Amino acid sequence: MAFWLDLMFGNAIGLMSMTVIFCTIGIMVYLMWMFIQKSKPE
């Protein structure tokens, strides 16, 4: 846990990489949700 806290708040590069990772996960979840919504039968 200390490693992740140091990576997130220790320097700007770690914070930006965490931001990119979480944004990517969010976009993937959104696209999966849209796919599930569109593929539901009427």
Side-chain angles (χ1 to χ4, degrees), residues 3-21:
F3 171 72
W4 289 104
L5 286 174
D6 183 47
L7 190 64
M8 279 170 49
F9 303 112
N11 53 7
I13 304 298
L15 187 61
M16 286 304 293
S17 64
M18 284 290 144
T19 305
V20 168
I21 289 169

Side-chain angles (χ1 to χ4, degrees), residues 24-37:
T24 305
I25 291 172
I27 290 169
M28 285 168 50
V29 168
Y30 176 72
L31 288 175
M32 283 191 291
W33 179 76
M34 287 295 290
F35 180 74
I36 291 169
Q37 290 294 318

